[in-house]
């Protein structure tokens, strides 16, 4: 069974800090990896998609890296803001006979304080 | 990427009743996915819905409890049947394009 673990489970930081969220997975034969943000009681917003041939992706203050050999991905958030407060989920794709299937991590709940 | 409109956004239902959740996509997609997120948990795939064929259910989920319709390439519904408090969750639909896109979720509370 594929497992995806995210550390830390919860994080509270003051505004302006740079921070790193970690995601580890047991299967190095992943296809792609995607980072999402989820606000309480809401759906998921896609942040970054890293395809299997890529090592990182950047969007604004966000940078995500992927190291398949070590089974790790990190999401770096620069100059954090209170609006960044949310739960962050990583999910990897495994190719199956019917296409690809997402396996979600356990999530990191982030709170950025004024 | 695709835009998904999901409704209702939330509902409070009596036990023993059923609720149908709708997802409308702004483009044609082959597969649509339905997920459940129980309180404090991550997302679990319920089933994959293909147009013109029966949905494929994951282990632990059955058609009688979660019937799915997929009448065309832009629309799908998930029904949560004979609800109990244990069905209280967020239900989400998703499609795959340039990465996965999710609907805004349906927050269901069963009382």
């Amino acid at each position: 069974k594929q497992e995806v673990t995210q550390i830390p489970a919860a994080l509270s930081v003051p505004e302006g800090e740079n921070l790193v969220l970690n995601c580890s997975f047991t299967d190095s034969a992943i296809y792609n990896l995607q980072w999402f943000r989820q606000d309480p009681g809401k759906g998921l917003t896609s942040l970054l998609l890293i395809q299997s041939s890529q090592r990182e992706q950047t969007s604004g203050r966000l940078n995500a890296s992927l190291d398949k050999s070590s089974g790790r991905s990190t999401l770096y958030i620069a100059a954090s803001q209170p609006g960044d407060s949310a739960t962050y989920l990583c999910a990897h794709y495994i190719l199956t006979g019917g296409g690809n299937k997402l396996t979600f991590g356990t999530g990191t709940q982030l709170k950025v304080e004024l | 990427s695709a835009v998904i409109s999901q409704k209702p956004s939330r509902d409070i239902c009596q036990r023993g009743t059923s609720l149908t959740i709708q997802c409308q996509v702004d483009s044609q997609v082959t597969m649509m996915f339905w997920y459940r997120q129980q309180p404090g948990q991550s997302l679990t795939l319920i089933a994959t819905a293909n147009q013109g064929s029966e949905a494929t259910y994951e282990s632990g989920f059955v058609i009688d409890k979660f019937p799915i319709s997929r009448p065309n390439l832009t629309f799908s519904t998930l029904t949560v049947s004979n609800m109990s408090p244990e069905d209280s969750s967020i239900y989400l639909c998703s499609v795959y394009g340039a990465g996965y896109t999710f609907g805004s979720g349906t927050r269901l509370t069963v009382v």
Side-chain angles (χ1 to χ4, degrees):
Chain A
K1 180 183 175 183
Q2 312 300 329
E3 289 193 0
V4 183
T5 305
Q6 291 185 243
I7 295 173
L11 182 62
S12 182
V13 299
E15 182 180 14
E17 269 205 13
N18 301 324
L19 51 99
V20 175
L21 308 182
N22 297 292
C23 172
S24 62
F25 41 90
T26 56
D27 190 340
S28 62
I30 68 168
Y31 181 50
N32 294 338
L33 188 137
Q34 195 166 354
W35 282 91
F36 297 91
R37 166 192 173 130
Q38 184 176 30
D39 293 290
K42 303 293 186 182
L44 275 64
T45 300
S46 178
L47 298 173
L48 290 165
L49 167 67
I50 309 176
Q51 297 184 349
S52 59
S53 59
Q54 299 172 325
R55 300 201 67 166
E56 67 177 325
Q57 281 288 331
T58 298
S59 176
R61 295 183 293 109
L62 306 179
N63 174 275
S65 65
L66 174 62
D67 184 343
K68 293 197 296 180
S69 62
S70 65
R72 294 176 185 272
S73 177
T74 61
L75 178 67
Y76 175 82
I77 302 177
S80 57
Q81 303 170 357
D84 295 330
S85 299
T87 296
Y88 291 80
L89 295 162
C90 67
H92 72 53
Y93 304 17
I94 296 290
L95 284 175
T96 68
N100 60 69
K101 182 178 288 190
L102 275 180
T103 299
F104 280 90
T106 46
T108 294
Q109 191 170 1
L110 172 66
K111 183 175 182 180
V112 181
E113 298 174 321
L114 289 169
Chain B
S1 57
V3 175
I4 303 174
S5 174
Q6 182 174 345
K7 55 184 180 182
S9 59
R10 61 195 311 155
D11 207 340
I12 301 173
C13 299
Q14 297 291 323
R15 67 175 68 202
T17 63
S18 298
L19 175 71
T20 296
I21 302 166
Q22 300 179 4
C23 276
Q24 178 76 49
V25 190
D26 68 345
S27 57
Q28 294 184 337
V29 292
T30 304
M31 291 189 287
M32 293 182 71
F33 307 90
W34 288 97
Y35 288 83
R36 179 177 74 181
Q37 186 179 30
Q38 294 178 298
Q41 304 292 316
S42 194
L43 279 74
T44 301
L45 181 64
I46 297 171
T48 301
N50 294 307
Q51 193 267 337
S53 63
E54 291 241 340
T56 302
Y57 288 83
E58 297 297 306
S59 175
F61 297 96
V62 295
I63 188 171
D64 289 346
K65 177 67 176 177
F66 297 102
I68 288 171
S69 78
R70 185 82 202 276
N72 57 53
L73 291 172
T74 63
F75 187 78
S76 180
T77 68
L78 170 77
T79 299
V80 186
S81 302
N82 189 25
M83 289 184 286
S84 67
E86 291 71 34
D87 295 318
S88 297
S89 297
I90 299 172
Y91 293 85
L92 300 108
C93 61
S94 174
V95 300
Y96 179 70
Y100 281 88
T101 301
F102 283 79
S104 54
T106 296
R107 189 169 194 170
L108 171 62
T109 302
V110 184
V111 296

